[in-house]
Amino acid sequence: MHELMAATLEEAIDDIREIQNNARDRNDTTRPRWPMIVLRSPKGWTGPKVVDGLQIEGTFRAHQVPILVDSDHPDHVRCWKAG
């Protein structure tokens, strides 16, 4: 994912530089179509996928506090690090 995002950003930056150079060097005053990046990702994709047998990623649980991190739930800490 990181390589794909980096490549997409590089492409957008190259497009922006080309637009700027056309405006500065060629006096191009037409309104350009600026690049836009749309990132579609599942809800909670950076967190744990499953906690206590319940799916987190891509569900309503991703927008809540999905796990308890305390002395009574030591496995949740390992779950978060592995997520």
Side-chain angles (χ1 to χ4, degrees), residues 2-75:
H2 298 296
E3 289 180 20
L4 179 59
M5 185 64 175
T8 303
L9 286 172
E10 284 293 325
E11 184 178 336
I13 290 169
D14 289 343
D15 290 348
I16 290 169
R17 287 188 177 139
E18 185 177 337
I19 291 168
Q20 290 174 332
N21 287 336
N22 282 338
R24 291 177 183 140
D25 301 338
R26 296 182 187 91
N27 204 21
D28 184 358
T29 58
T30 60
R31 178 172 277 184
R33 292 190 61 168
W34 294 95
M36 179 175 67
I37 298 170
V38 177
L39 175 65
R40 293 185 64 196
S41 63
K43 295 193 284 184
W45 72 297
T46 59
K49 311 289 185 227
V50 176
V51 175
D52 292 336
L54 297 172
Q55 180 73 25
I56 302 297
E57 182 183 77
T59 70
F60 69 93
R61 292 180 192 94
H63 287 278
Q64 298 177 10
V65 178
I67 59 175
L68 293 171
V69 180
D70 58 15
S71 60
D72 294 332
H73 300 88
D75 289 342

